[in-house]
Amino acid sequence: IQLTQSPSFLSASVGDRVTITCRASRAISSYLAWYQQKPGKAPKLLIYAASTLQSGVPSRFSGSGSGTEFTLTISSLQPEDFATYYCQQVNSYPPFGQGTRLEIK
Amino acid sequence: EVQLVESGGGLVKPGGSLILSCAASGFTFSSYSMNWVRQAPGKGLEWVSSISSSTSFKYYADSVKGRFTISRDNAKNSLYLQMNSLRAEDTAVYYCARDPGHYGDYGVLFDYWGQGTLVTVSS
C-alpha cells in the first residue's frame, strides 16, 4: 500500500488555515498517523487513528478521514508550525508518505 | 521523562559494519516494542526494523533484510542495530523510536524518538 501526500510543498502565512491530504492506494480504515518534523529534529507524533490528538499537541491540529483519503488540518498557523509533515499507515509497509513541506509565505 | 539516546554512528566504508545503540530511560523499556527509522540526507522517513518487547518478533524493511539485525537487552534498557554489508544508500540519520502499543500486534506507531545518529557510508 502506497501513501501519497499532497501537496508536496505548501506556502502559507501565519493565521492561515491549511489542509494536507494523504491518499492510500488501498483502504486502510483509520490506521493512519501524522507526524511533524522540524529541520534537524526528530519527528513528533501529532495524530493517530486518523483523528486522535496525541497528548500535548495543540488543538489547532486536527485529522480526519478513513479508507483511502485523510486530511491534516491546522486551523490557524502559528510560526512554530512551519515544518515538514508526514502521514504514516499503521498496519502496512512501507509506512510513510513522502512528506509535505510547509513554509512561510 | 521518556528519553532515547542513540549512539554508534560514524563514517564507514562500503561493505563495512557498524553497531548502533539506543539507551532508553523514563519508561519500562521491557514493555514496549521498539523500532529503527532512518532518514537519508534531504529525504523522507524510512522504517528500517521493529522488535517486539520480548524479542519474539523481529521485522525488517526489504532494503535491509539479510544485512541488518535488530536486538535488545531489556536488562540494560538498550536497543541495538547491527548493520553489515553497508552500502552508500544506507547513509542516513538513524532514529530509534518507541511504539506505544496502541495497536498491539496489528500495527506500529512511533510516539517517542531519539535525536538520531548519523551513519555515512563512503570510501
Side-chain angles (χ1 to χ4, degrees), chain A residues 1-103:
Chain A
I1 299 176
Q2 301 297 319
L3 295 180
T4 303
Q5 292 183 229
S6 59
S8 295
F9 177 83
L10 180 58
S11 181
S13 302
V14 172
D16 284 353
R17 178 184 179 90
V18 300
T19 297
I20 298 168
T21 298
C22 179
R23 289 186 174 86
S25 57
R26 291 207 313 266
I28 56 172
S29 185
S30 297
Y31 293 109
L32 193 96
W34 290 97
Y35 298 82
Q36 175 195 66
Q37 186 179 32
K38 297 180 180 179
K41 301 294 187 182
K44 172 186 176 183
L45 176 63
L46 298 176
I47 287 169
Y48 63 95
S51 60
T52 301
L53 209 60
Q54 174 71 349
S55 175
V57 174
S59 59
R60 63 181 179 273
F61 291 91
S62 64
S64 65
S66 67
T68 61
E69 186 154 332
F70 303 85
T71 59
L72 171 69
T73 299
I74 309 172
S75 60
S76 177
L77 272 174
Q78 298 302 300
E80 61 268 28
D81 299 337
F82 292 94
T84 299
Y85 293 84
Y86 294 92
C87 59
Q88 179 229 335
Q89 54 181 335
V90 170
N91 63 348
S92 184
Y93 301 94
F96 295 102
Q98 83 279 12
T100 294
R101 185 175 172 188
L102 175 57
E103 290 202 343

Side-chain angles (χ1 to χ4, degrees), chain B residues 31 36 50 60 67 79 84 98 107:
Chain B
S31 297
W36 290 99
S50 300
Y60 299 92
R67 301 187 299 122
L79 174 72
N84 297 329
R98 190 184 82 165

